[in-house]
Amino acid sequence: MSPQPASASRRHSASETPAADRARSARPAVSVGLVVAICLVAANLRTTLTGVGALLPEIEHGSGLSSSWGGLLSTLPLLTFAATSPLVARASHRWGSARLLVASLGVLAVGTVVRSLPSVVFLFTGTVILSAAIAFGNVLLPALIRRSVPAHRIQGVSALYVTVMGLMAAVSSGVSAPLAHTVPGSWRTALAWGVAFTVAAFLAWLPRMRGDKPQASTGGTHSPVPWRSRLAWQVTFFMGLQSLAFYTAVAWLPSILIDRGTSSTTAGWMLFYYQVVSLASSSLLPLLTRGRHDQRWTAAGASVLVAGGFTVLVAAPALTVLACTLLGLGGGACLVLALTFQSQRAGSSGEAAALAGMAQSIGYLVAAAGPLLLGILHDTTHSWTLPLSVLAVLGIATAVAGHGAGQDRHLRQDAR
């Protein structure tokens, strides 16, 4: 299954069907309104989740939850992503991507409000509801970008929405605790502040439902999940392993630094620095790779940077700034590439939804296991050396998967 040249890949993509060829030639340039609508959705994909970590001590104290239940509350969104993502492609085929996205945003608003109601049952129920809605948004956005954005603009638009997503995640982490101390209702109200962005995204996408016809009603065929595609599995493993590195770093980096003598304040700032570098990396990547259709060495190189960051934490703990710089540079690039591949490696929006569903269902399941695995290894060895070494090795595995996922091919070519 050697990769075909980029020119052959584009010829194949353009000649799939006359209808597909006409659709591509008639596809309009990216409008400001579309970009704003995409960014508003991106602003909702992490905002309601990342604030929980900052509020967790107050949530446990106010609700009586144990640390184990608090950990489950943090892991529950990833498990919900894994369970829900495979359902999105078929639902999108039946109802239409834009219609389904609007419905998901409505459900997200409901789930956010339910989570903030005064009961532990509502806390967990609302978390599951809003996480399922976010899972739909995670899968639908690459498919909508694949359908609405010219091929040479996909990576740029993907990088922009990843940047917005990361920025809002960082903002949510920073403002949630101060809000809990200033607004009526304490942490419950602070959990719901992001609903304002949900309403804005809902209103932005509502007019875009008009021209969105379900594929089922137009005779379009449903794209099955590409379980037998080697390329799809490479995209999936790249998505999963880079997610594992990110969520593990976010969960455990402060604890690792504190155990090695860093103050809690400094550890918190290092986590912030890591996220800022990651945002810068995800923003700059399209400028550095403009015009390149083959992303194999870019994905592999970014993964090696992540492996290098974990290696520095093991071998030279004093070089924390260097470690966080490497982790941020590599992690930000890997996230953009992982999401871009879900659009670029598909031959249609239907295939993009199917591939995104596969990559994110398995990917988030792998990511959910990362923080748990690291905690078990640390409890067993009473040291961070083995856990960090395992993460460094997994970084090399990510490079291998990224090298395969970055080749300029489509799923239909891979099936031949």
Side-chain angles (χ1 to χ4, degrees):
M1 295 185 184
S2 60
Q4 297 183 9
S7 58
S9 172
R10 289 190 289 275
R11 285 197 302 270
H12 179 88
S13 175
S15 60
E16 289 168 5
T17 64
D21 184 59
R22 287 194 299 271
R24 284 186 178 85
S25 62
R27 184 183 293 173
V30 183
S31 67
V32 175
L34 176 63
V35 173
V36 171
I38 289 172
C39 288
L40 283 173
V41 174
N44 284 278
L45 297 181
R46 294 294 180 272
T47 302
T48 55
L49 301 177
T50 55
V52 174
L55 294 171
L56 194 56
E58 294 187 42
I59 292 174
E60 292 176 351
H61 177 75
S63 62
L65 293 176
S66 66
S67 296
S68 298
W69 281 100
L72 176 61
L73 184 66
S74 300
T75 306
L76 196 56
L78 296 176
L79 298 176
T80 305
F81 289 170
T84 308
S85 296
L87 308 176
V88 182
R90 185 173 294 276
S92 174
H93 174 75
R94 181 173 182 179
W95 301 105
S97 298
R99 293 180 181 181
L100 193 60
L101 181 61
V102 170
S104 301
L105 290 168
V107 172
L108 175 57
V110 172
T112 303
V113 173
V114 168
R115 184 180 62 170
S116 64
L117 296 177
S119 169
V120 172
V121 174
F122 286 135
L123 177 65
F124 281 88
T125 302
T127 298
V128 172
I129 293 173
L130 68 86
S131 299
I134 290 173
F136 272 74
N138 284 336
V139 175
L140 288 170
L141 208 51
L144 286 164
I145 290 173
R146 178 65 180 81
R147 187 183 72 181
S148 308
V149 176
H152 67 286
R153 298 288 188 187
I154 287 177
Q155 188 178 61
V157 174
S158 298
L160 179 61
Y161 97 72
V162 167
T163 301
V164 172
M165 186 171 65
L167 179 62
M168 291 307 301
V171 169
S172 180
S173 298
V175 306
S176 293
L179 275 177
H181 297 135
T182 57
V183 298
S186 185
W187 58 268
R188 296 189 184 278
T189 304
L191 282 175
W193 78 272
V195 75
F197 291 97
T198 310
V199 172
F202 180 88
L203 295 175
W205 278 93
L206 203 57
R208 298 181 178 274
M209 292 173 55
R210 296 174 185 172
D212 185 45
K213 295 183 179 180
Q215 288 181 286
S217 66
T218 59
T221 58
H222 168 63
S223 297
V225 180
W227 298 115
R228 297 184 179 182
S229 168
R230 179 182 179 184
L231 179 59
W233 279 106
Q234 289 167 331
V235 172
T236 296
F237 281 126
F238 183 66
M239 175 67 186
L241 290 172
Q242 67 84 26
S243 296
L244 182 149
F246 169 76
Y247 284 105
T248 302
V250 168
W252 288 110
L253 182 60
S255 298
I256 293 170
L257 299 181
I258 291 171
D259 279 2
R260 291 179 170 179
T262 304
S263 69
S264 59
T265 301
T266 302
W269 279 114
M270 290 311 304
L271 180 60
F272 175 79
Y273 173 73
Y274 158 67
Q275 292 179 318
V276 169
V277 174
S278 179
L279 283 174
S281 176
S282 62
S283 301
L284 293 174
L285 182 67
L287 300 178
L288 300 176
T289 60
R290 180 178 296 173
R292 297 182 185 178
H293 296 279
D294 191 317
Q295 302 283 358
R296 288 178 294 176
W297 293 108
T298 305
S303 304
V304 169
L305 287 178
V306 175
F310 287 125
T311 301
V312 170
L313 284 176
V314 174
L319 301 179
T320 302
V321 174
L322 174 60
C324 290
T325 301
L326 294 174
L327 289 172
L329 289 174
C334 282
L335 178 57
V336 172
L337 291 169
L339 295 174
T340 301
F341 292 160
Q342 294 169 36
S343 298
Q344 286 183 335
R345 300 299 167 251
S348 66
S349 60
E351 281 190 356
L355 177 58
M358 173 181 172
Q360 296 191 31
S361 62
I362 296 175
Y364 284 119
L365 189 61
V366 172
L372 178 61
L373 174 64
L374 211 71
I376 292 173
L377 290 176
H378 177 256
D379 288 343
T380 302
T381 63
H382 303 289
S383 168
W384 290 109
T385 300
L386 179 60
L388 291 170
S389 299
V390 170
L391 289 175
V393 172
L394 289 177
I396 301 302
T398 310
V400 174
H403 186 271
Q407 56 190 311
D408 185 22
R409 291 174 61 84
H410 290 112
L411 296 180
R412 293 182 185 179
Q413 292 171 283
D414 185 61
R416 293 191 167 196

